[in-house]
Amino acid sequence: MNPLTTSAFDLPERLSAKADPALIGRDERHFAAVEASLEQTIAELSDRLDALRRAPGGVGREAMDRDIEVHKLTGRLRALRRFGLDLCLGHVVAPGDPEPVYIGRLGLTDSEGRRLLVDWRSPAAEPFFAATHADPMGLVSRRRYRWTGGRIGDYWDEVFAADALEGHAALDDQSAFIAGLGANRSARMRDVLATIQADQDAIIRAGSRGALVVDGGPGTGKTVVALHRSAYLLYSDPRLGHRRGGVLFVGPHQPYLAYVADVLPSLGEEGVRTCTVRDLVAEGAKAGVETDPEAARLKSSVDMVKAIEKAVRFYEEPPAEGMAVVTHWADLWLSAQDWADAFDAPDPGTPHNEAREQIWEELATILMDKLDEDEEAVPPELFRRSLRQDRELVETLNRAWPLLEAADLVGDLWSVPAYLRMCAPWLAPEEVRALQRKHAPQAWTVSDLPLLDAARQRLGDPEAALRQRRREAAAAAERARMADVIGDLLQADDDGEGAVTMLRGKDLQDSLVDETALPVADPEPLVGPFAHIVVDEAQELTDAEWQMLLLRCPSRSFTIVGDRAQARHGFAESWQERLARIGLDRTTVASLSINYRTPEEVMAEAEPAIRAALPDANVPTSVRSSGLPVEHGSVSELDAILDGWLAEHAEHAEGVACVIGAPDFRARPRVRSLTPELSKGLEFDLVVLVDPEAFGGGIEGAVDRYVAMTRATQRLVILRSS
């Protein structure tokens, strides 16, 4: 085995004792094997991927399987190239086994099949995260690495058996772990996989059936758990694979998604889709905030979302009178009962716009059955085409079952009071008036998005039928072209025998049609269905917004992450009560109570701020102290504080500050400017809070102050105008 050209360890002078070859020599040898295997594996995967891309694409299932394999190999290569030796998180030692088991972000074997790294998501890796002194899970020891710039800047050992590893373990007070918690932040969420704790790991590895709520205060690692659980479930649960819908991760806002963008790829998983609730609907990008609290309240209910069903049903009433239909073969009578039978023809759950084609097919069948038996055989396709030329029949169907757009349907609710009263009869007259906006019914707000989404899902694509007819016409033209080619080949076959005569078979002729060249609609990646949905900051979702997610997850398999004390509009119920009301009745709650992020000094300031409004708030216990008291001062000191902090951190590439509550402050490099609401889910080394009393009163103001304070991982400064 070739030794590493450069040591994997870059320990500072103060940790020179940890550089003893007796402590790290075995690791160095193992890392040499990992490095060699990485180079070989990357080369082999690259060759396989190149060969696969050069191979014929195939058609149908063959093409799909090839695309899936290309996606899988590309993702694996990207993950391996993303890391070097820092694929390795640490190792564990079991009794009687002198060789440690090394845990990695991905599994890795050498050319002889020897396991060099065990994937962190595998059952064999569980003790690395879950072992405690109370329950060592059969371990003698555990070592975790702290990687910096591709080399190990520190490591720490935990020994679970007395004197079991004397001379082979560097025992200290978990220096790397504590140092890691207080390390400088960056614009992206830092890697925390190596420091996952037992309480967090138990939640990450919980089963996927039903809804699991992860409840915890600031700094308890809720987001860490949510992200790692997404990667773990895709790896461990075959029911959630990409062919079955995969996993959707829903975050609170775009700054949050940008912040966590690197985490899932670093965990070896690139197949999780991420979005905000706004992203689920095309109108979400430009939607404003509902300015009328009463209108927002009314639109947030499940009942209002259910009103969409009645709004659509209004346009699905069969004609009450029959009509004559003139065809080239006979004059036929289409009765009111015939219309009713045709309107009952669509399969249950078929979207409104797509159901109309099924109604048309049923009408054609009903009318064909009315032709006299002694009529000459009528070609069904010719008969159907002739019916589409009957303007009166087409117009009657258009009036009784029109193609609808979601925006028009919802806009009518806000501009036609009688229509809204019919669809939502429980609304009082003053509530109907509160929802009306006659001059701009389609000036969408965030509160409108669940209704637009429900309408779009219920209506379906108004262009679907037209696209399907175009596809069928293109396929027919392709078959006709192929038939001409086959005819020419058969004519050229002198004896009319041999393999070429097989081309007469219809099945073979159909298989020669290039389906990839036929027109298809672009898929909408967030429509679903998804096998599992993870929702972070879930306490903020309205009942109506929950319906958007339930529509996308028929299995009702959810991971729901949140803190009731951080709900800006209050959260008086239990999680079980809230979720049962919106349609999730199989709910398990797991609590996190240890604050790994926020120093004691900051929590001492933040706790009274939230308890003033929510005495029973789940305030977590901090595990560390920064030694920096919370500072108070004047707004006039803002620039001086930031300049001083930037000067102190000039030598460090990392470290991020945030000014919260000063909308006029313009962000600068390494200093962001956010509202309390947009800071949720993020963390910063320095937080400067400006005029927190101006955030408002009641629960909303208290939550905003609490959230803003607890974004700080090192230092909190509170400034006031007077």
Side-chain angles (χ1 to χ4, degrees):
M1 181 186 303
N2 294 326
L4 287 170
T5 55
T6 303
S7 172
F9 291 84
D10 185 21
L11 300 169
E13 182 62 30
R14 62 183 176 82
L15 299 177
S16 58
K18 287 188 171 185
D20 186 338
L23 295 175
I24 65 173
R26 184 167 52 187
D27 284 350
E28 294 276 33
R29 292 189 294 274
H30 193 82
F31 289 147
V34 170
E35 186 175 60
S37 180
L38 269 175
E39 291 178 1
Q40 180 179 351
T41 302
I42 288 173
E44 290 174 352
L45 286 175
S46 298
D47 290 344
R48 283 174 57 192
L49 188 59
D50 289 344
L52 196 59
R53 284 172 169 162
R54 287 194 300 267
V59 296
R61 181 60 180 268
E62 182 183 350
M64 185 177 71
D65 289 343
R66 173 185 176 275
D67 289 345
I68 289 173
E69 184 66 15
V70 167
H71 174 79
K72 186 171 74 173
L73 290 177
T74 302
R76 174 78 172 174
L77 260 178
R78 193 180 296 120
L80 290 175
R81 286 169 172 162
R82 184 186 187 91
F83 294 96
L85 295 177
D86 50 349
L87 273 172
C88 187
L89 305 169
H91 70 233
V92 293
V93 177
D97 188 350
E99 290 300 317
V101 174
Y102 286 81
I103 311 302
R105 301 172 186 281
L106 301 169
L108 187 69
T109 57
D110 64 14
S111 57
E112 298 175 355
R114 182 169 68 103
R115 177 65 68 181
L116 298 177
L117 294 177
V118 173
D119 193 299
W120 71 272
R121 295 165 289 190
S122 69
E126 184 175 358
F128 177 77
F129 302 99
T132 65
H133 287 278
D135 180 13
M137 300 182 70
L139 297 187
V140 171
S141 72
R142 166 172 58 201
R143 172 172 290 184
R144 303 187 197 232
Y145 306 118
R146 182 183 178 205
W147 294 89
T148 305
R151 299 177 73 190
I152 297 171
D154 196 0
Y155 65 91
W156 78 100
D157 291 323
E158 296 166 90
V159 174
F160 301 104
D163 302 326
L165 286 179
E166 186 174 350
H168 297 284
L171 302 181
D172 56 23
D173 59 351
Q174 296 194 358
S175 59
F177 174 57
I178 299 299
L181 294 177
N184 290 332
R185 266 49 185 177
S186 68
R188 297 289 179 91
M189 189 176 192
R190 64 191 180 88
D191 176 28
V192 293
L193 179 54
T195 57
I196 291 293
Q197 297 300 288
D199 58 342
Q200 298 169 335
D201 186 68
I203 296 171
I204 290 169
R205 295 175 189 270
S208 65
R209 294 188 183 276
L212 172 65
V213 177
V214 184
D215 179 77
T220 54
K222 299 186 301 299
T223 296
V224 167
V225 167
L227 291 164
H228 288 68
R229 181 164 165 77
S230 300
Y232 172 77
L233 288 177
L234 270 179
Y235 173 89
S236 65
D237 193 335
R239 297 182 303 110
L240 307 184
H242 302 296
R243 291 187 179 182
R244 304 200 177 191
V247 174
L248 176 68
F249 187 99
V250 183
H253 46 69
Q254 284 300 330
Y256 168 96
L257 292 183
Y259 179 59
V260 304
D262 285 343
V263 176
L264 285 165
S266 76
L267 301 176
E269 183 52 68
E270 297 191 346
V272 178
R273 292 197 177 276
T274 62
C275 72
T276 68
V277 170
R278 281 177 177 265
D279 297 330
L280 298 176
V281 183
E283 293 83 355
K286 296 182 179 179
V289 176
E290 190 76 56
T291 56
D292 182 356
E294 177 64 4
R297 182 188 69 82
L298 292 169
K299 292 177 183 179
S300 71
S301 71
V302 174
D303 285 340
M304 188 59 72
V305 176
K306 290 180 177 178
I308 293 297
E309 176 63 28
K310 196 162 188 178
V312 176
R313 282 288 183 188
F314 177 74
Y315 293 101
E316 297 180 345
E317 289 293 327
E321 297 180 358
M323 62 179 294
V325 178
V326 179
T327 74
H328 297 297
W329 299 272
D331 293 344
L332 306 172
W333 179 253
L334 194 62
S335 69
Q337 185 59 50
D338 293 332
W339 277 109
D341 292 342
F343 274 41
D344 286 338
D347 300 325
T350 304
H352 169 91
N353 291 325
E354 296 162 32
R356 197 171 80 158
E357 195 64 15
Q358 294 183 23
I359 292 172
W360 183 266
E361 289 298 313
E362 185 65 17
L363 286 172
T365 300
I366 289 171
L367 289 168
M368 273 203 79
D369 289 345
K370 292 178 180 287
L371 291 171
D372 292 338
E373 292 183 4
D374 57 355
E375 292 278 351
E376 292 184 15
V378 178
E381 283 304 313
L382 183 61
F383 184 77
R384 283 171 168 76
R385 285 202 300 272
S386 72
L387 290 180
R388 292 189 186 274
Q389 308 306 313
D390 189 322
R391 180 176 299 178
E392 184 180 359
L393 178 62
V394 171
E395 289 179 352
T396 302
L397 178 58
N398 286 346
R399 287 192 301 269
W401 195 293
L403 293 175
L404 299 171
E405 294 280 358
D408 295 334
L409 187 88
V410 178
D412 286 348
L413 290 174
W414 310 150
S415 58
V416 183
Y419 185 44
L420 178 58
R421 283 195 297 271
M422 182 200 72
C423 298
W426 63 86
L427 293 175
E430 62 273 15
E431 292 175 328
V432 172
R433 286 193 294 272
L435 291 169
Q436 294 301 295
R437 48 184 192 217
K438 294 182 181 298
H439 300 298
Q442 295 190 18
W444 305 119
T445 70
V446 174
S447 300
D448 292 318
L449 301 184
L451 289 101
L452 285 165
D453 186 58
R456 191 159 285 124
Q457 298 251 6
R458 176 63 176 82
L459 292 173
D461 186 356
E463 300 293 325
L466 178 60
R467 267 199 309 273
Q468 180 61 27
R469 287 200 296 273
R470 286 174 177 168
R471 182 178 173 84
E472 290 170 354
E478 180 72 1
R479 280 193 291 270
R481 185 185 70 82
M482 195 59 63
D484 290 341
V485 171
I486 291 170
D488 292 342
L489 288 172
L490 291 172
Q491 271 192 336
D493 183 22
D494 294 334
D495 58 9
E497 297 180 359
V500 75
T501 60
M502 295 172 61
L503 293 172
R504 293 186 188 277
K506 185 177 184 306
D507 289 343
L508 183 56
Q509 290 180 25
D510 287 344
S511 71
L512 295 175
V513 175
D514 183 6
E515 295 184 0
T516 61
L518 300 178
V520 294
D522 293 332
E524 295 185 41
L526 298 178
V527 169
F530 294 93
H532 187 83
I533 295 181
V534 180
V535 191
D536 203 357
E537 301 295 348
Q539 73 277 353
E540 299 294 358
L541 266 62
T542 67
D543 292 0
E545 288 171 335
W546 271 112
Q547 304 311 301
M548 302 170 77
L549 302 183
L550 294 177
L551 277 172
R552 288 163 172 79
C553 192
S555 68
R556 299 297 192 261
S557 176
F558 280 86
T559 299
I560 297 162
V561 183
D563 178 13
R564 293 167 57 243
Q566 293 186 61
R568 297 183 76 240
H569 303 293
F571 198 131
E573 307 159 285
S574 68
W575 279 107
Q576 289 93 337
E577 290 168 336
R578 174 68 173 275
L579 296 174
R581 192 176 73 236
I582 59 95
L584 289 172
D585 55 1
R586 291 185 299 157
T587 302
T588 303
V589 178
S591 295
L592 295 171
S593 58
I594 302 299
N595 189 333
Y596 298 102
R597 178 187 68 210
T598 317
E600 293 175 347
E601 295 84 351
V602 172
M603 287 307 299
E605 187 89 17
E607 183 171 353
I610 192 63
R611 291 208 187 279
L614 299 170
D616 63 343
N618 177 21
V619 178
T621 302
S622 291
V623 77
R624 68 185 183 90
S625 169
S626 67
L628 300 172
V630 175
E631 303 167 52
H632 294 264
S634 169
V635 171
S636 61
E637 302 174 63
L638 176 59
D639 287 336
I641 290 169
L642 294 174
D643 290 342
W645 182 83
L646 287 169
E648 289 175 17
H649 292 73
E651 296 181 1
H652 303 290
E654 294 186 337
V656 178
C658 186
V659 177
I660 301 178
D664 295 333
F665 176 80
R666 298 187 65 179
R668 57 172 95 168
R670 297 177 66 179
V671 180
R672 302 185 64 181
S673 177
L674 295 172
T675 64
E677 190 172 4
L678 287 180
S679 72
K680 187 168 286 188
L682 308 181
E683 53 188 34
F684 308 95
D685 301 282
L686 166 67
V687 169
V688 181
L689 206 55
V690 178
D691 287 329
E693 287 75 17
F695 295 173
I699 292 176
E700 186 171 320
V703 167
D704 282 350
R705 284 185 284 276
Y706 181 59
V707 167
M709 290 179 185
T710 54
R711 300 310 95 194
T713 65
Q714 295 181 13
R715 182 180 170 195
L716 172 64
V717 179
I718 300 175
L719 303 180
R720 294 178 171 83
S721 298
S722 57

